């Protein structure tokens, strides 16, 4: 069972993190029960300090800490199976980033790169995780390496899962806007969510049940049907702040050991991934056959097999 941790972000925003090692699951090879969506988490709740008036800090568990950052539209529960397979007795925590999952979704934001990075730093400091290993997927990977570049004292090691350093451009942002506008929301049933994102979505080249399951986890029931727990407009705003720019300069500033891992059918091409490894002062590379962009979710065993040796190497004294 995952344990819920309520944490205050950099500008007072209410964030939710999930400790997958709370009950010692994953140490015996079992998969911890995860928050399957923002609507029905299976948790015990621990309140964390929210201000100077609350000086009590929770005891720091043993084991090298790992902080998992999901991608755009994701949530912490998407890491559950992969987190349960990581070896080494790590304390593994996944964060619902602002605008996602059970964390606050302020109408006015901000949803800038600076805000996401500052939130991750605040979580590390409030939960006393530093120096931490940051593991990020997609947008969460960009947040992770920008934090590692800006606050190296907080980050021991870094795993980048299927995130490009090159600019994607205005055409990509327009395509995403059109895609959101094409969603047939509200979905009448959760089965309809599975069917749309797994087969009927024009972006799906071949039936992909795992993709349908991924999106079903971030839907919530409403009187008129099922809708995403996030605001699509906020997702577009979040993406707007990084999609037009290249991020090679910040990547080159990362000094800690870094693993770049990609799925062979993902969004990060092999040539770009290997160039990212070359740019990193201490970079390593791994790829997962048959996996796409959602590699840690669709292929958790293979993802863990790729990541665990790296973690063991950099975290073993």
């Amino acid at each position: 069972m995952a344990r819920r941790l309520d944490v205050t972000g950099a500008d007072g925003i209410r964030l939710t993190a999930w400790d997958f090692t709370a009950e010692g699951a994953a140490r015996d090879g079992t998969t911890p029960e995860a928050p399957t969506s923002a609507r029905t988490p299976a948790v015990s709740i621990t309140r964390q300090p929210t201000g100077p008036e609350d000086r009590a800090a929770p005891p720091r568990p043993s084991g090298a800490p790992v902080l998992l950052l999901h991608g755009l539209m994701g949530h912490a529960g998407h890491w559950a199976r992969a987190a349960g397979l990581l070896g080494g007795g790590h304390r593994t925590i996944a964060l619902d980033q602002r605008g996602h999952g059970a964390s606050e979704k302020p109408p006015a934001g901000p949803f800038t790169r600076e805000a996401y990075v500052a939130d991750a730093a605040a979580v590390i400091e409030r939960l006393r995780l530093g120096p931490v290993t940051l593991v990020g997927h997609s947008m969460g990977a960009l947040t992770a390496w920008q934090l590692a570049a800006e606050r190296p004292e907080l980050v021991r090691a870094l795993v980048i899962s299927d995130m490009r350093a090159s600019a994607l451009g205005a055409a990509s942002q327009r395509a995403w806007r059109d895609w959101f506008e094409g969603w047939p929301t509200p979905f009448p049933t959760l089965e309809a969510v599975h069917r749309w994102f797994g087969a009927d979505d024009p972006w799906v080249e071949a039936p992909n049940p795992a993709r349908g399951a991924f999106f079903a986890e971030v839907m919530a029931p409403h009187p008129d049907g099922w809708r995403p727990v996030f605001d699509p407009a906020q997702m577009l705003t979040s993406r707007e702040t990084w999609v037009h720019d290249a991020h090679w300069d910040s990547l080159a500033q990362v000094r800690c050991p870094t693993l770049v891992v990609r799925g062979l059918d993902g969004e990060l091409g092999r040539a770009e991934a290997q160039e990212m490894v070359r740019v990193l002062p201490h970079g390593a590379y791994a790829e997962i056959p048959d996996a796409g962009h959602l590699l840690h979710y669709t292929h958790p065993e293979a993802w863990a097999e790729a990541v665990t040796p790296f973690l063991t190497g950099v975290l073993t004294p």
Side-chain angles (χ1 to χ4, degrees):
M1 178 180 291
R3 183 163 61 103
R4 175 172 174 158
L5 307 173
D6 292 327
V7 189
T8 302
D11 52 4
I13 191 171
R14 296 187 301 275
L15 302 174
T16 299
W18 304 88
D19 190 339
F20 289 113
T21 56
E23 300 297 331
R27 298 183 191 277
D28 60 357
T30 61
T31 302
E33 184 177 357
T36 55
S37 72
R39 60 186 184 276
T40 56
V43 300
S44 60
I45 297 177
T46 298
R47 301 289 177 184
Q48 298 299 341
T50 57
E53 71 284 354
D54 187 351
R55 301 292 183 182
R60 184 172 183 170
S62 60
V66 175
L67 180 63
L68 305 164
L69 300 177
H70 61 73
L72 193 72
M73 302 182 293
H75 77 138
H78 284 144
W79 290 105
R81 292 173 61 204
L85 294 167
L86 286 179
H90 308 291
R91 183 189 182 195
T92 308
I93 295 174
L95 174 67
D96 279 333
Q97 297 176 82
R98 63 172 60 206
H100 297 76
S103 288
E104 190 175 0
K105 304 163 182 63
F111 294 99
T112 61
R113 285 282 81 225
E114 292 80 8
Y116 281 109
V117 171
D119 281 345
V123 169
I124 293 169
E125 292 174 332
R126 289 190 179 276
L127 298 184
R128 300 167 59 198
L129 301 176
V132 70
T133 294
L134 283 178
V135 177
H137 171 247
S138 195
M139 183 191 74
L142 177 59
T143 299
W145 90 56
Q146 289 180 331
L147 177 58
E150 295 174 15
R151 299 286 306 276
E153 76 280 7
L154 295 181
V155 184
R156 183 195 305 266
L158 177 66
V159 177
I160 297 171
S161 291
D162 215 64
M163 179 60 189
R164 301 179 62 181
S166 59
L168 300 180
S172 173
Q173 186 71 354
R174 288 194 297 270
W176 272 68
R177 187 177 302 277
D178 292 344
W179 178 56
F180 277 128
E181 291 176 354
W183 288 16
T185 50
F187 295 94
T189 64
L190 201 55
E191 180 183 358
V193 176
H194 280 268
R195 185 169 58 252
W196 167 259
F197 290 102
D200 296 343
D201 184 349
W203 281 18
V204 176
E205 296 181 358
N208 188 343
R211 186 174 186 267
F214 181 94
F215 281 97
E217 288 192 18
V218 290
M219 295 288 162
H222 292 261
D224 60 349
W226 292 79
R227 296 179 181 273
V229 300
F230 52 79
D231 181 348
Q234 291 182 350
M235 299 300 99
L236 283 172
T237 299
S238 297
R239 196 172 187 272
E240 184 79 30
T241 63
W242 57 263
V243 72
H244 300 290
D245 301 317
H247 305 283
W248 294 100
D249 288 347
S250 59
L251 187 70
Q253 295 171 23
V254 174
R255 298 300 175 197
C256 63
T258 302
L259 176 68
V260 178
V261 57
R262 60 178 289 269
L264 289 185
D265 296 321
E267 297 181 7
L268 174 61
R270 177 178 289 154
E272 183 171 354
Q274 292 179 344
E275 179 63 13
M276 290 169 66
V277 172
R278 189 193 68 80
V279 166
L280 285 159
H282 304 286
Y285 175 76
E287 59 184 35
I288 299 175
D290 303 321
H293 182 58
L294 306 176
L295 62 173
H296 65 287
Y297 182 81
T298 60
H299 294 70
E301 294 85 2
W303 182 87
E305 288 177 2
V307 171
T308 297
F310 170 79
L311 296 184
T312 300
V314 299
L315 300 180
T316 301

